[in-house]
Amino acid sequence: MAAPPASYEKELAAARKAASLAARLCQGVQKSLLQSDVQSKADRSPVTVADYGSQALVSLVLKTELSSESFSLVAEEDSGDLRKDGSQETLRRITNLVNDTLSSDGTYNLSLSEEDVLVAIDSGKSEGGPHGRHWVLDPIDGTKGFLRGDQYAIALGLLDEGKVVLGVLACPNLPLAPVGHSETESLATKVGCLFSARIGAGTYMQSLDGSPPSKVHVSNIENPADASFFESFEAAHSLHDLSSSIATKLGVQAPPVRIDSQAKYGTLARGDGAIYLRFPHKGYREKIWDHAAGCIVVTEAGGIATDAAGNALDFSKGRYLDLDTGIIVTNAKLMPLLLNAVQSSLEEKVQSASPL
Ligand SMILES: Nc1ncnc2c1ncn2[C@@H]1O[C@H](COP(=O)(O)OS(=O)(=O)O)[C@@H](OP(=O)(O)O)[C@H]1O
Ligand SMILES: [Mg+2]
Ligand SMILES: [Mg+2]
Ligand SMILES: [Mg+2]
């Protein structure tokens, strides 16, 4: 008899637990950020003790909760810089953060050594791929937002045979009330959202302090004039001019809402806005951990995420996404109009760049 299809319920519960604990660690660090907590990686992007601590915690919780013989994790950070001379103090601080978070939770009777922390971080070196199960983690997505005190997310997904089957986004600074509507902004004081999605089972949101989850759905707006759109906060991450030309073609009236990280997928999944546009500068290769969790959170809420040519995002190719030009997300009603506007703006861009 064939085995029943996997439900991934146990895995989703473990992912929620892991991301919530990591969020607690990050919140503590954000409150008391010291300059020495921030380092530059080889590509000059920032990394903090919280990125490392979050990655170590998530890897540890998943392994403890799901004691399966094969554990594969594709994650953003590695311990290379922490093993160099001069990093002892940073490693000590990360180890204390991880142990303090574990003991404040009280579920696990564990205390990690510095070497345990390095090993936990390095269990994220998997290459992923089309076969078997692979966890996909961005321990802090939107590190620049985290450093500014703005939006960031702990983003954790699971691939099974190359497909994203569950995803969790912990967004510690995201208001529970809708964002992007100025009239509600001042009321939106309560923050901390946890989004979770499982294939075929919808997307749910709850507060990070433990309210019961409620089902969310993308906006059902059909007229682009009523739509608002999200894009990266950082202009270096997405061509804002191109988004604005697309929005004009569509007849979108509202100005863009710029927020950091995969919190954009979460806000879209609950219908705060209707469109997410992302067009990296030429040559940039998107990583799977920047989109896996966000993608299932928005698609299980009724949204569609594709590349700029309308192809589904393919997470089975290893650590990178192989993409045509950009990523666009919206509801099923608006997608055909959006794709037309994207294609025509991209053609205009090519024409204006080519010599006469
Ligand atoms: N040049 C360039 N182009 C496109 N994307 C880039 C680029 N550089 C970085 N990144 C990735 O963007 C991730 C941050 O997400 P967002 O762009 O959505 O937010 S924000 O604009 O940084 O606020 C960010 O994730 P984190 O490194 O986890 O913060 C990066 O993986
Ligand atoms: Mg990221
Ligand atoms: Mg990151
Ligand atoms: Mg980074």
Side-chain angles (χ1 to χ4, degrees):
M1 208 167 67
S7 74
Y8 307 107
E9 270 174 75
K10 198 164 91 187
E11 288 79 3
L12 186 63
R16 278 204 195 108
K17 172 89 190 182
S20 307
L21 265 189
R24 192 185 297 183
L25 181 150
C26 296
Q27 280 167 298
V29 175
Q30 201 180 42
K31 272 198 198 115
S32 61
L33 206 68
L34 309 167
Q35 199 47 45
S36 62
D37 289 339
V38 186
Q39 257 90 44
S40 262
K41 295 201 277 190
D43 63 1
R44 302 223 305 270
S45 64
V47 61
T48 73
V49 292
D51 298 65
Y52 290 122
S54 167
Q55 182 157 323
L57 259 185
V58 170
S59 137
L60 188 88
V61 171
L62 291 178
K63 275 193 205 158
T64 311
E65 293 284 332
L66 307 165
S67 47
S68 88
E69 55 301 348
S70 64
F71 176 76
S72 167
L73 175 67
V74 183
E76 180 180 359
E77 310 302 343
D78 66 65
S79 77
D81 288 346
L82 295 173
R83 291 180 188 271
K84 290 182 182 154
D85 277 352
S87 298
Q88 290 86 348
E89 183 48 42
T90 305
L91 177 58
R92 196 165 313 130
R93 190 154 146 67
I94 297 165
T95 308
N96 288 340
L97 283 167
V98 170
N99 285 328
D100 290 351
T101 311
L102 286 170
S103 70
S104 78
D105 177 64
T107 316
Y108 309 104
N109 191 14
L110 281 172
S111 179
L112 273 68
S113 67
E114 290 172 8
E115 185 56 31
D116 293 336
V117 167
L118 294 172
V119 169
I121 292 170
D122 280 339
S123 63
K125 281 189 171 172
S126 166
E127 290 294 320
H131 302 300
R133 291 187 179 187
H134 307 278
W135 290 94
V136 180
L137 171 68
D138 196 334
I140 292 188
D141 182 42
T143 304
K144 288 185 175 166
F146 176 75
L147 291 170
R148 257 188 268 110
D150 285 341
Q151 295 305 326
Y152 65 99
I154 293 93
L156 177 61
L158 177 64
L159 299 183
D160 195 354
E161 298 296 306
K163 293 240 165 347
V164 189
V165 294
L166 70 81
V168 166
L169 286 179
C171 306
N173 283 343
L174 189 67
L176 289 158
V179 296
H181 305 275
S182 47
E183 56 296 358
T184 56
E185 218 92 300
S186 56
L187 301 171
T189 46
K190 196 164 168 5
V191 298
C193 301
L194 180 66
F195 296 90
S196 45
R198 199 156 54 83
I199 191 145
T203 299
Y204 289 79
M205 187 186 85
Q206 62 199 112
S207 73
L208 266 174
D209 60 20
S211 70
S214 49
K215 201 160 190 174
V216 292
H217 206 273
V218 294
S219 145
N220 54 14
I221 282 173
E222 293 181 26
N223 180 355
D226 302 328
S228 62
F229 75 97
F230 291 104
E231 63 182 353
S232 293
F233 185 93
E234 299 285 336
H237 294 182
S238 189
L239 300 165
H240 287 168
D241 287 356
L242 185 56
S243 306
S244 120
S245 127
I246 293 162
T248 307
K249 274 192 203 311
L250 274 172
V252 169
Q253 311 277 310
V257 181
R258 291 183 179 143
I259 59 175
D260 306 275
S261 83
Q262 285 170 72
K264 292 187 275 295
Y265 284 103
T267 51
L268 212 68
R270 69 183 188 191
D272 291 6
I275 300 168
Y276 170 20
L277 299 173
R278 181 180 186 87
F279 298 100
H281 290 262
K282 205 168 164 29
Y284 182 77
R285 293 179 78 194
E286 294 278 10
K287 327 289 190 311
I288 59 171
W289 54 77
D290 278 323
H291 302 282
C295 188
I296 190 164
V297 161
V298 82
T299 53
E300 280 298 320
I304 305 178
T306 72
D307 69 8
N311 305 308
L313 306 184
D314 182 353
F315 291 92
S316 74
K317 298 267 171 71
R319 290 172 74 88
Y320 293 94
L321 282 172
D322 225 356
L323 275 185
D324 183 45
T325 313
I327 294 179
I328 58 177
V329 191
T330 188
N331 64 27
K333 293 269 169 49
L334 286 174
M335 188 49 108
L337 294 172
L338 177 58
L339 263 173
N340 275 341
V342 167
Q343 300 295 327
S344 114
S345 290
L346 285 172
E347 271 159 34
E348 280 172 16
K349 185 167 165 280
V350 171
Q351 274 158 15
S352 70
S354 62
L356 291 174

